[in-house]
Structures are given as structure tokens and as C-alpha cells.
Amino acid sequence: MKKIVPLVLTLLLSIVVFAQDSAKAKALLDEVYNKVQSYENIEVEFKYTLENKEANINQETRGDVTLQGDKYLFNYLGSQQLYDGKKVYTIVPENEEVTIEDRTEDENTITPSKMLTFYKSGHNYAWDILQNVQGRKIQYVKLTPIDTNSEIASILLGIDAQTKHIYKLIETGKNGTKTTITVNSFKTNQPLSKTLFTFDEARYENDGYYIIRN
């Protein structure tokens, strides 16, 4: 009995601490979400790395995305993807092809339109480490998918403690693949062209692009 009591107290204390850390993590993410939602538009430039040691994969590239509400313009790996609120247009200059399709999103997939808000639901939260990155305090929150069938094991979300902007995302898959997105530039409320999220089909047809409709 003497041994059991301290163990029970330790367990109860751990539960209380976990609950407090979880609430603190969720409160920080709520701040980030509210900040993101307050902007008219957002422009992000980022570095993307994909690593799987067992498969000997180590890739690095850069990209950028402009977001306004649900609409987005995404440049990545030499291709461009546009969502105008109704259709998704994937433009591949190398193949001179444009694919037009309805938007279908897997709840477990982080898409351009969700990349700054995906964490709002579907995860358990835990307070993680604090890092100093060139004078910036980056607080990490660990997200674990509630769906046990998710291919994602965990996500570490690094948040600038001062600006409440996302600085880094580290996603670890159950297959050992680690995906890291590091934000190099985060701009808000920029003057955007009124046609930025408008697809000009005639322009691409005149340029000889093959249009694929799914």
C-alpha cells in the first residue's frame, strides 16, 4: 500500500500536467488561428525538405503560396496550382498541360488552402520545446492525429512567440518519412491583382497547352 500511494499520486500529477500542457498548447494555436483569420491575404515563401533515411531519400526545394480566404495560388517544383473557389487548375509548363478538376481534400492531407489552419481540429495537442532561432523564440506544439488510421505519426508546429506566425512544420509519417516546411518569408495584406485567382483558359489554349478536364 505504501508503494501504491506514491505511484497513484504521480499518475494523477502527470494527468494534471498533461491536461495543463494540452490546454496551453491549444490556447497558443487558437492565437495563431485568430491571427491568420484576421488577415485579408497572406504570402508565404518556404523551404520544403523530404527525408527518409531507410529509403535513402533526401530532397530539398522551395516554393511560395498566396492565400486569400479559400482561394490560393501555389508555385512548387516548376508547376503552378490555382484554386479560384470552384475549380483547381494545375499548370505544368514543362508538359504544356493544364488539369482542371473539382477540389477534393483528404482530411489528413495538408493542402495549400489549409496549410496555416489545418491544426484547428482533428488533433491532440501537447506543449513541446522552446528554441532560439537567430534571436527569435520558436515555441513548438506537438500534434497527434486523433484518427488512429492516419498515416501521420505526429506533427511539430513551430510558432514565433512574438508574431504568433507559423515558422516551421515537421511532419513525421508512420513509414519514417519526415517532411519539413520552413517559412522564409511571411507577408500579409499585400496589394494583389484582381485577376490573381482567375484562370484564363483562352490564354493557355492560344499558347498550345493541352487542357485536361477531370
Side-chain angles (χ1 to χ4, degrees), residues 10 27 30 47 58 75 89 94 101 139 145 150 153 196-197:
T10 300
D30 284 343
K47 181 177 74 173
N58 194 343
N75 294 294
Y89 306 86
E94 184 179 357
E101 55 194 336
Q139 175 62 57
S150 173
L196 183 65
F197 303 107

Side-chain angles (χ1 to χ4, degrees), residues 37-98:
Q37 294 297 101
S38 72
Y39 298 128
E40 184 177 338
N41 59 65
I42 298 172
E43 291 183 355
V44 176
E45 294 179 8
F46 61 88
K47 181 177 74 173
Y48 174 95
T49 60
L50 180 69
E51 181 183 7
N52 187 312
K53 293 182 180 179
E54 288 188 8
N56 197 29
I57 297 173
N58 194 343
Q59 301 173 349
E60 180 177 313
T61 188
R62 294 178 184 273
D64 63 81
V65 61
T66 302
L67 304 159
Q68 186 174 59
D70 286 336
K71 298 177 183 179
Y72 64 78
L73 180 63
F74 182 48
N75 294 294
Y76 177 68
L77 291 175
S79 299
Q80 187 177 79
Q81 190 172 89
L82 168 70
Y83 178 58
D84 62 3
K86 296 179 180 178
K87 297 283 186 179
V88 176
Y89 306 86
T90 303
I91 304 155
V92 185
E94 184 179 357
N95 300 335
E96 294 190 336
E97 286 183 354
V98 177

Side-chain angles (χ1 to χ4, degrees), residues 8-183:
V8 172
L9 290 175
T10 300
L11 177 61
L12 291 173
L13 180 61
S14 297
I15 292 172
V16 171
V17 169
F18 176 79
Q20 289 175 339
D21 281 353
S22 178
K24 186 164 60 171
K26 186 178 184 307
L28 177 59
L29 292 178
D30 284 343
E31 281 191 79
V32 175
Y33 180 82
N34 291 334
K35 197 79 176 285
V36 167
Q37 294 297 101
S38 72
Y39 298 128
E40 184 177 338
N41 59 65
I42 298 172
E43 291 183 355
V44 176
E45 294 179 8
F46 61 88
K47 181 177 74 173
Y48 174 95
T49 60
L50 180 69
E51 181 183 7
N52 187 312
K53 293 182 180 179
E54 288 188 8
N56 197 29
I57 297 173
N58 194 343
Q59 301 173 349
E60 180 177 313
T61 188
R62 294 178 184 273
D64 63 81
V65 61
T66 302
L67 304 159
Q68 186 174 59
D70 286 336
K71 298 177 183 179
Y72 64 78
L73 180 63
F74 182 48
N75 294 294
Y76 177 68
L77 291 175
S79 299
Q80 187 177 79
Q81 190 172 89
L82 168 70
Y83 178 58
D84 62 3
K86 296 179 180 178
K87 297 283 186 179
V88 176
Y89 306 86
T90 303
I91 304 155
V92 185
E94 184 179 357
N95 300 335
E96 294 190 336
E97 286 183 354
V98 177
T99 302
I100 305 174
E101 55 194 336
D102 293 327
R103 185 177 73 164
T104 54
E105 290 188 355
D106 182 342
E107 290 184 0
N108 295 319
T109 302
I110 301 173
T111 59
S113 58
K114 298 193 303 182
M115 68 180 296
L116 296 177
T117 58
F118 74 94
Y119 50 81
K120 186 64 177 175
S121 61
H123 301 88
N124 292 316
Y125 311 112
W127 199 253
D128 212 273
I129 64 171
L130 177 68
Q131 283 188 339
N132 189 310
V133 179
Q134 297 179 343
R136 298 166 65 189
K137 291 183 178 179
I138 306 299
Q139 175 62 57
Y140 281 87
V141 171
K142 186 174 183 179
L143 286 71
T144 306
I146 294 173
D147 181 4
T148 55
N149 293 321
S150 173
E151 296 180 0
I152 300 171
S154 66
I155 296 173
L156 279 173
L157 203 59
I159 297 160
D160 187 311
Q162 181 178 0
T163 64
K164 301 299 186 294
H165 292 163
I166 295 173
Y167 166 71
K168 183 172 285 190
L169 179 152
I170 305 171
E171 177 186 292
T172 303
K174 291 180 179 177
N175 63 356
T177 299
K178 181 182 287 188
T179 304
T180 304
I181 297 174
T182 305
V183 174

